Amino acid sequence: MIEKTYTMIKPDGVRNHHIGQIVSRFENVGLTIERMELGMVTPEQAKANYAEHEGKPFYDGLISYITSGPVVKMVVSGENAVATVRKLMGVTNPADAAPGTIRGDYGLTMDENVIHGSDSVASAEREIGVFFGE
Ligand code: IDP
Ligand code: MG
């Protein structure tokens, strides 16, 4: 099914100059970049995006991290876009992510894991609303 997902290169991915490599991976498999914007995440957007993690030990650090520098916000579309982006990202902890995945290739620790991707079509719709206001 053709669907849209929200994905975001986190501040470490931008700071470490991986934007081009990451966007290439999406384009290489045939996904389409529908929207793309470099900018900061506001505290309000960070809290809305990570509401499910409020109260967890890493929550405050996560909000600081995601608001610490510019990110690249993207809407990506294509066949199975949600699952395909998650597959290209690799598992949450870069230490466990397979080589060849974005987190496996460009990350080292859980504190800075390079990229975000929506975990379902419903999350994607919500997150596109949070970050692109639609
Ligand atoms: P996901 O990004 O792979 O969907 P989630 O479990 O939804 O992973 O966690 C959201 C984000 O919160 C992660 O991408 C990571 O930045 C951060 N995070 C999750 N667990 C930890 C942790 O144990 N320590 C530090 N940061 C964490
Ligand atoms: Mg998640």
Side-chain angles (χ1 to χ4, degrees):
M1 192 180 64
I2 301 275
E3 57 194 25
K4 288 185 190 187
T5 191
Y6 176 74
T7 180
M8 173 163 71
I9 304 173
K10 294 180 174 181
D12 54 312
V14 173
R15 192 179 68 237
N16 295 325
H17 308 110
H18 298 313
I19 297 172
Q21 297 286 336
I22 292 169
V23 172
S24 289
R25 287 169 184 230
F26 297 149
E27 293 201 307
N28 285 342
V29 299
L31 291 170
T32 298
I33 311 298
E34 293 223 357
R35 302 195 62 164
M36 182 159 65
E37 183 185 301
L38 181 101
M40 299 294 288
V41 170
T42 66
E44 292 71 28
Q45 289 172 326
K47 287 173 195 159
N49 193 54
Y50 289 122
E52 65 178 298
H53 298 296
E54 200 181 343
K56 293 184 184 170
F58 60 84
Y59 177 78
D60 289 347
L62 175 59
I63 300 299
S64 303
Y65 161 49
I66 206 68
T67 57
S68 67
V71 301
V72 176
K73 308 164 198 179
M74 281 177 271
V75 177
V76 171
S77 70
E79 197 71 34
N80 296 315
V82 170
T84 301
V85 167
R86 296 279 295 191
K87 182 184 71 179
L88 294 174
M89 285 164 51
V91 298
T92 306
N93 188 344
D96 298 326
T101 65
I102 293 166
R103 285 166 167 168
D105 287 352
Y106 303 128
L108 200 56
T109 68
M110 189 70 138
D111 295 338
E112 293 195 322
N113 66 349
V114 192
I115 188 159
H116 166 83
S118 308
D119 62 9
S120 67
V121 170
S123 298
E125 286 173 0
R126 188 183 65 248
E127 292 170 5
I128 291 168
V130 167
F131 291 102
F132 287 103
E134 54 181 58

